[in-house]
Amino acid sequence: MLPRMGNLLFSGGELDEALRSTKAALVRDVEKWDPDELLTQSESEIAAFLADKHSVRAPVLRRDAIYADEPRDGKRSISDDFFGRDVEVSVSTLRIHVPYDGEKVFFSLRPNQFTFNPPRARVGADVLTFEFEDRELNGEKIKAALDRQLDSIDKYLAASRQMAEQHNESILNAALSAIQARKERLLADRATVAGLGIPVRRRGDPPAVAVPVKTRPPRIERPRSALGPYEPEWVLSESDYEEAVRIIINAGVQMERSPSTTLQLDEEERRDLILIALNAVFEGQAGGEVFNGSGKTDILLRVENRNVFIAECKIWRGQKGFGAAIDQLLGYLVWRDTKAALVLFIETRKATQTVRRALDVLKEHPNCVRTVASSEDAGRSDFIFKSTGDDAREIRLAFIPVVVASPE
């Protein structure tokens, strides 16, 4: 027994194309976002809002909640080939409803895995309806026919869910990329120093450092800014930030190569080696033990009397102590400091375990917003933190472990 004719499912268009359109709609939303709000609000909050708004949810059949209407009897005309005319016969009709959770539009879109004999059903807002008709209803035949239809639908939905999950995993990064690209254009159009980066002078040849799926209402609220119009401020350009981090990493590598010597140095002396390396490139702009925020930070890079980068050096004393070091660094950051580094000296040979524990502390810190895609430098991990006292301001933090344990 087969169900009476319903809508042909998964045949109204390509799901892949619809998902691309949904991602394009996200980018259009970024382009329509108020410029001042885009420049003053948290990138992560805007991206999370848009990713939530443009995420999709492929349906899941709720077979445990299937229900049926009372059977109905009636008359139907059928063609009688023997007599060559239509005759009226008595029939019984049974409608079975299968609830589902998810978005209705998926039943009309074809995933990348399909057959040329798609199933049929009547699609409601949250339920599929199958109608069976026969002169005498047979429960076993109806159940077998229904199971065949549902099994076929489930195969399509499994492929759709896989595509939906891939889409949902990718749109947060797509939103962040679109936001960052538009911010760069806005800053360039306004010709501000903040957008172009500060003019850090470097030596000409510095020596090597020896040391549409339909958009639904979002589940989270649209972020709001209380900062008013964007005001230009001094920032360290991304290239100069990467150069400063690279110098610190290289200095750490040199310390790792001479562990017996490094272990004789205290925390301040190790910091001084990093300062020497930074000043070799940034022309004496790096200082140590400089007052900033709520205390003295280990390393502070200033340009024209403005703070543009700070770093803190700590020896590993356990997770509790490392958590305190993160709080200390965040306390040193004033409202305009947006780029920082945390150098951790590890004096145990169990370096991998220690680094993992340190990363756990960073990820679980209440100010941690997200991790950043791994850099080409293997000796670092990057995070985005929110500023203490200002959730809208984000801080780029590079975590740099330096292993100085003596081999036995």
Side-chain angles (χ1 to χ4, degrees):
M1 174 183 290
L2 292 176
R4 293 184 59 188
M5 299 297 285
N7 298 327
L8 196 63
L9 305 182
F10 309 107
S11 303
E14 300 294 333
L15 176 57
D16 186 58
E17 182 178 344
L19 293 175
R20 286 197 298 269
S21 297
T22 300
K23 188 173 291 186
L26 180 151
V27 175
R28 289 195 297 272
D29 278 357
V30 173
E31 295 300 318
K32 292 186 292 184
W33 204 277
D34 179 83
D36 282 321
E37 291 185 358
L38 195 74
L39 291 170
T40 57
Q41 290 174 345
S42 162
E43 289 182 7
S44 298
E45 290 183 1
I46 298 174
F49 171 82
L50 292 176
D52 180 71
K53 177 182 177 182
H54 292 280
S55 65
V56 297
R57 191 160 60 107
V60 176
L61 298 183
R62 297 175 53 199
R63 293 201 185 198
D64 60 335
I66 294 175
Y67 63 96
D69 295 339
E70 288 287 340
R72 296 177 301 161
D73 60 345
K75 300 289 185 179
R76 178 171 295 279
S77 295
I78 63 173
S79 177
D80 190 320
D81 294 335
F82 183 79
F83 292 103
R85 58 185 174 84
D86 291 342
V87 297
E88 193 173 71
V89 298
S90 297
V91 295
S92 295
T93 303
L94 177 66
R95 286 184 177 176
I96 298 178
H97 308 281
V98 183
Y100 66 85
D101 294 322
E103 298 176 56
K104 173 182 176 181
V105 66
F106 276 87
F107 289 109
S108 65
L109 299 171
R110 183 169 61 189
N112 52 15
Q113 298 178 32
F114 59 90
T115 69
F116 292 101
N117 184 29
R120 293 177 178 268
R122 294 176 182 172
V123 184
D126 56 6
V127 67
L128 299 182
T129 298
F130 302 85
E131 189 171 281
F132 298 89
E133 182 180 87
D134 207 344
R135 293 188 181 184
E136 183 176 349
L137 296 177
N138 182 300
E140 291 184 0
K141 290 183 179 179
I142 291 175
K143 186 177 186 308
L146 177 65
D147 285 343
R148 285 194 297 272
Q149 291 293 299
L150 296 182
D151 289 346
S152 177
I153 292 171
D154 267 333
K155 288 181 180 179
Y156 274 85
L157 291 180
S160 298
R161 280 194 295 273
Q162 183 178 16
M163 296 176 67
E165 289 169 0
Q166 292 172 351
H167 167 84
N168 292 341
E169 290 172 358
S170 68
I171 56 174
L172 180 60
N173 285 334
L176 287 168
S177 296
I179 291 166
Q180 291 161 1
R182 187 173 178 223
K183 285 180 71 172
E184 289 179 4
R185 295 199 308 272
L186 288 172
L187 291 168
D189 289 344
R190 298 180 185 201
T192 61
V193 174
L196 299 175
I198 60 174
V200 177
R201 295 174 300 167
R202 298 186 185 171
R203 302 184 189 278
D205 186 19
V209 181
V211 287
V213 173
K214 183 178 179 180
T215 299
R216 56 174 174 75
R219 293 182 293 265
I220 60 178
E221 292 185 1
R222 178 187 174 101
R224 303 293 178 185
S225 174
L227 299 178
Y230 171 76
E231 294 293 337
E233 60 190 60
W234 291 84
V235 297
L236 186 67
S237 67
E238 194 67 24
S239 61
D240 285 324
Y241 172 67
E242 289 299 322
E243 180 69 1
V245 172
R246 185 190 67 82
I247 291 169
I248 294 174
I249 291 174
N250 286 345
V253 169
Q254 296 304 316
M255 294 184 206
E256 290 179 336
R257 289 174 178 171
S258 303
S260 57
T261 300
T262 304
L263 284 171
Q264 297 178 22
L265 304 177
D266 60 24
E267 196 174 279
E268 292 184 2
E269 290 171 324
R270 298 174 192 178
R271 177 206 65 199
D272 290 343
L273 291 178
I274 297 175
L275 283 173
I276 292 171
L278 285 170
N279 281 319
V281 174
F282 290 102
E283 297 190 346
Q285 301 292 338
E289 286 292 323
V290 182
F291 279 104
N292 196 59
S294 61
K296 288 184 178 181
T297 183
D298 282 340
I299 298 172
L300 177 61
L301 180 60
R302 282 181 169 173
V303 175
E304 298 182 9
N305 294 320
R306 293 181 183 269
N307 307 336
V308 295
F309 171 81
I310 76 168
E312 189 71 11
C313 301
K314 289 295 176 184
I315 296 175
W316 175 259
R317 304 296 189 200
Q319 288 180 298
K320 184 177 180 180
F322 185 62
I326 298 172
D327 293 335
Q328 186 179 33
L329 175 61
L330 294 175
Y332 293 159
L333 289 161
V334 296
W335 72 271
R336 63 170 53 85
D337 298 328
T338 58
K339 293 183 173 66
L342 181 56
V343 182
L344 180 65
F345 296 109
I346 300 172
E347 299 179 344
T348 172
R349 288 185 299 141
K350 297 180 180 179
T352 301
Q353 179 181 349
T354 301
V355 170
R356 188 181 300 116
R357 292 170 65 191
L359 289 173
D360 288 341
V361 175
L362 283 160
K363 293 174 183 176
E364 294 170 5
H365 193 280
N367 285 49
C368 182
V369 177
R370 67 177 189 276
T371 58
V372 180
S374 298
S375 168
E376 293 180 0
D377 294 313
R380 66 187 278 192
S381 299
D382 288 64
F383 298 84
I384 299 296
F385 272 63
K386 60 184 178 182
S387 174
T388 300
D390 186 354
D391 290 349
R393 184 168 294 273
E394 295 184 344
I395 299 162
R396 177 72 176 267
L397 174 64
F399 167 61
I400 304 170
V402 178
V403 182
V404 291
S406 294
E408 293 183 0

